[in-house]
């Protein structure tokens, strides 16, 4: 028995030692954090050159990466220039303006928008592959981008699906969040192919759409199962409080709008945050569970029907609870000041706050902003979103880089902050669920514990066998 006691003590010490080391890993993950920034519609053509420079220079030190959510430069046919050939000018412009604050190798991540979704012949204001080329702003090292398995036939040989479809987990190794980029409703390639839609076969009856739908569902579900925050970047929003942005889905397929179907997937799979550009303003939605009682028609400004039952949290206290619905942020005012809020549009009722950077808003009520659902006149301007990620919450701040509209020195200036709190327990609340979760996350301890418990049984069997062997024959 002395041997048994010695072995039990030895294995107990191993288990205790491992159990004191393992929580250090969990605590390190729980205490880790990082901050990234993002915006869409970043262009620096002649009419917005100074605005874009101001926003680039305002990006603060300490950021982990920046995500450009499409409509990158506008230096093409929109402003009287050739469709392509100006991409390197934009890339050098970015590097010149961010390097003093962020250094020479700052990760700049790019998502395709409709102004660069063609190819070298059909693009409007640049081609996405030229922006992501090794000579421009290539795929950042260390991000760990995983391209879509649905296949991006139009992609270049050096970028794969980067800029179109894929995801990255961050931090690499012990991720807190999964970032997914999609090219919703974009016609990348010849300018006419409806290739980037996400819709189940049962709805749209299209195999290509279904393939992308299943890829997107799979990467969302995988991240949710791992306890990661899920943040989606897509240039075009389905809901918007502005004058002209609709739920664009490249048409109607089998009676359904693919853009609305993709949003149904965000709701059903529990996406935490969707980030868009395209509308040239800032807007932050309420926490939503649906788009309304009817599916919005593709490219229709009037098809959205507001329903209070779709609102899980109106966002008036700037605090959301994870898992109750999807929060949508539109940041398309990095350099653009030409959009306005439509206060009478049904879709506007789905937003908690919004801001136009236009110098002189002209719609009815003549005000710039929406605050807690009410039109409010304030100073406003261009800028970008900034989010700090921890295991416990996503913390958002609208960062204004330049005021573009003044209504008086004593008037308040627009601002927006919110948090999504992770109030859900990470493990099962039951005794056996808690034990199972602990052992699953601490597999080394599980092995050591199993070994420690099995040793006495093995020794006891050996001793019994030995006694039987020594018994005298009758």
């Amino acid at each position: 028995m002395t041997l048994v006691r010695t072995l039990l003590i030895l294995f107990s010490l191993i288990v205790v030692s491992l159990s004191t080391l393992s929580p250090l890993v969990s605590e390190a993950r729980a205490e880790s954090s990082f901050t990234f920034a993002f915006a869409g519609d970043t262009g620096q053509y002649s009419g917005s050159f100074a605005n874009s420079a101001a926003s680039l220079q305002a990006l603060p030190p300490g950021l982990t990466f920046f995500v450009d959510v499409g409509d990158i430069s506008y230096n093409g046919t929109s402003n009287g220039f050739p469709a392509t050939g100006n991409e390197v000018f934009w890339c050098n412009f970015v590097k010149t303006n961010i390097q003093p604050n962020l250094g020479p190798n700052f990760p700049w991540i790019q998502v395709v928008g409709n102004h660069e979704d063609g190819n070298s012949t059909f693009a409007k204001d640049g081609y996405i592959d030229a922006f992501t080329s090794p000579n421009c702003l290539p795929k950042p090292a260390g991000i760990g981008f995983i391209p879509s398995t649905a296949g991006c036939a139009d992609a270049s040989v050096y970028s794969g699906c980067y800029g179109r479809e894929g995801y990255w987990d961050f931090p690499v190794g012990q991720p807190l969040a999964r970032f997914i980029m999609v090219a919703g409703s974009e016609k990348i390639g010849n300018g006419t192919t409806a290739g980037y839609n996400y819709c189940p076969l049962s709805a749209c009856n299209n195999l290509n759409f279904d393939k992308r739908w299943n890829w997107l569902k799979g990467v969302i579900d995988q991240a949710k199962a791992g306890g990661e925050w899920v943040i989606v970047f897509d240039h075009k929003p389905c809901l918007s409080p502005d004058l002209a942005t609709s739920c664009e889905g490249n048409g109607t397929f089998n009676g359904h709008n693919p853009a609305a179907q993709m949003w149904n997937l965000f709701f059903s799979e529990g996406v935490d945050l969707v980030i868009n550009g395209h509308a040239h303003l800032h807007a932050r939605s309420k926490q939503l569970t649906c788009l309304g009682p009817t599916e919005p028609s593709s490219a229709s400004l009037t098809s959205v029907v507001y329903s209070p039952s779709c609102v899980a949290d109106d966002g008036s206290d700037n605090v959301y609870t994870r898992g109750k619905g999807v929060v949508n942020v539109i940041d398309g005012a990095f350099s653009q000041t030409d959009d306005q809020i439509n206060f009478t549009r049904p879709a506007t009722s789905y937003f908690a706050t919004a801001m136009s950077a236009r110098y002189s808003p002209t719609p009815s009520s003549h005000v710039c902003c929406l605050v807690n659902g009410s039109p409010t006149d304030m100073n406003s301007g261009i800028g970008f979103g900034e989010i700090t990620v921890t295991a416990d919450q996503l913390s958002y701040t609208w960062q204004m880089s330049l005021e573009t509209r003044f209504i008086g020195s004593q008037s308040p200036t627009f601002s927006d902050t919110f948090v999504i709190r992770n109030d859900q327990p990470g493990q099962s609340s039951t005794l056996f669920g808690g034990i199972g979760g602990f052992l699953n996350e601490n597999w080394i301890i599980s092995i050591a514990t199993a070994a420690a418990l099995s040793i006495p049984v093995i020794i006891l069997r050996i001793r019994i066998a030995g006694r039987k062997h020594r018994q005298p024959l009758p």
Side-chain angles (χ1 to χ4, degrees), residues 109-190:
I109 299 168
Q110 301 187 89
V111 180
V112 67
N114 54 287
H115 277 261
E116 54 276 338
D117 67 354
N119 56 30
S120 58
T121 303
F122 291 95
K124 300 180 185 71
D125 298 314
Y127 179 38
I128 184 60
D129 278 358
F131 288 111
T132 60
S133 75
N135 296 324
C136 197
L137 290 168
K139 179 173 63 179
I143 292 297
F145 181 80
I146 306 296
S148 168
T149 57
C152 301
D154 63 285
S156 72
V157 294
Y158 56 76
S159 70
C161 285
Y162 177 63
R164 300 159 172 78
E165 283 183 354
Y167 68 90
W168 67 100
D169 295 321
F170 203 86
V172 177
Q174 287 192 333
L176 296 172
R178 172 163 292 183
F179 300 92
I180 304 171
M181 68 168 63
V182 294
S185 304
E186 300 295 355
K187 301 176 181 179
I188 307 173
N190 63 11

Side-chain angles (χ1 to χ4, degrees), residues 255-271:
H256 289 282
N257 176 3
Q261 288 291 316
M262 180 173 66
W263 266 87
N264 288 341
L265 179 66
F266 296 158
F267 294 131
S268 65
E269 304 310 299
V271 168

Side-chain angles (χ1 to χ4, degrees), residues 261 288 409:
Q261 288 291 316
L288 305 177
S409 59

Side-chain angles (χ1 to χ4, degrees), residues 79-394:
N79 288 286
F81 299 105
T84 58
N86 297 298
E87 294 90 347
V88 173
F89 175 71
W90 159 253
C91 296
N92 291 335
F93 179 77
V94 170
K95 294 172 185 176
T96 298
N97 282 282
I98 68 172
Q99 284 181 357
N101 280 341
L102 302 173
N105 300 311
F106 179 73
W108 191 273
I109 299 168
Q110 301 187 89
V111 180
V112 67
N114 54 287
H115 277 261
E116 54 276 338
D117 67 354
N119 56 30
S120 58
T121 303
F122 291 95
K124 300 180 185 71
D125 298 314
Y127 179 38
I128 184 60
D129 278 358
F131 288 111
T132 60
S133 75
N135 296 324
C136 197
L137 290 168
K139 179 173 63 179
I143 292 297
F145 181 80
I146 306 296
S148 168
T149 57
C152 301
D154 63 285
S156 72
V157 294
Y158 56 76
S159 70
C161 285
Y162 177 63
R164 300 159 172 78
E165 283 183 354
Y167 68 90
W168 67 100
D169 295 321
F170 203 86
V172 177
Q174 287 192 333
L176 296 172
R178 172 163 292 183
F179 300 92
I180 304 171
M181 68 168 63
V182 294
S185 304
E186 300 295 355
K187 301 176 181 179
I188 307 173
N190 63 11
T192 60
T193 303
Y196 287 84
N197 284 312
Y198 306 80
C199 185
L201 190 64
S202 59
C204 292
N205 195 30
N206 186 295
L207 288 173
N208 287 328
F209 298 175
D210 183 66
K211 180 169 60 174
R212 299 197 183 285
W213 164 277
N214 287 322
W215 167 79
L216 182 56
K217 183 179 186 301
V219 296
I220 293 172
D221 289 348
Q222 183 187 53
K224 297 296 288 188
E228 297 177 66
W229 295 98
V230 178
I231 300 172
V232 176
F233 294 100
D234 182 24
H235 177 66
K236 294 178 178 178
C238 188
L239 295 172
S240 176
D242 76 331
L243 297 179
T245 302
S246 66
C247 190
E248 183 181 342
N250 279 333
T252 301
F253 300 84
N254 198 36
H256 289 282
N257 176 3
Q261 288 291 316
M262 180 173 66
W263 266 87
N264 288 341
L265 179 66
F266 296 158
F267 294 131
S268 65
E269 304 310 299
V271 168
D272 298 301
L273 180 65
V274 176
I275 294 172
N276 306 111
H278 198 52
H280 294 171
L281 43 64
H282 162 79
R284 184 246 300 181
S285 78
K286 301 171 181 178
Q287 195 168 30
L288 305 177
T289 60
C290 54
L291 296 175
T294 59
E295 181 179 294
S297 301
S298 180
S300 170
L301 295 176
T302 60
S303 64
V304 172
V305 178
Y306 175 71
S307 174
S309 64
C310 290
V311 178
D313 190 323
D314 66 7
S316 58
D317 63 355
N318 303 325
V319 178
Y320 302 105
T321 299
R322 185 182 190 185
K324 287 190 174 182
V326 180
V327 178
N328 182 203
V329 170
I330 302 171
D331 273 335
F334 189 81
S335 67
Q336 304 301 294
T337 60
D338 58 348
D339 211 343
Q340 303 175 77
I341 300 171
N342 184 342
F343 294 101
T344 62
R345 184 179 179 182
T348 302
S349 297
Y350 282 121
F351 288 84
T353 184
M355 179 217 69
S356 166
R358 190 180 177 95
Y359 307 103
S360 300
T362 57
S364 174
S365 71
H366 300 276
V367 298
C368 73
C369 303
L370 182 77
V371 178
N372 291 333
S374 299
T376 306
D377 210 10
M378 314 174 83
N379 297 335
S380 61
I382 58 172
F384 52 90
E386 189 175 303
I387 293 179
T388 297
V389 181
T390 70
D392 295 327
Q393 66 181 31
L394 301 178

Side-chain angles (χ1 to χ4, degrees), residues 427-435:
Q427 297 175 353
S428 172
S429 59
T430 65
L431 173 61
F432 291 106
I435 293 173

Side-chain angles (χ1 to χ4, degrees), residues 44-61:
Q44 91 303 3
Y45 59 94
S46 59
S48 66
F49 193 95
N51 286 356
S52 187
S55 288
L56 289 169
Q57 293 169 16
L59 294 172

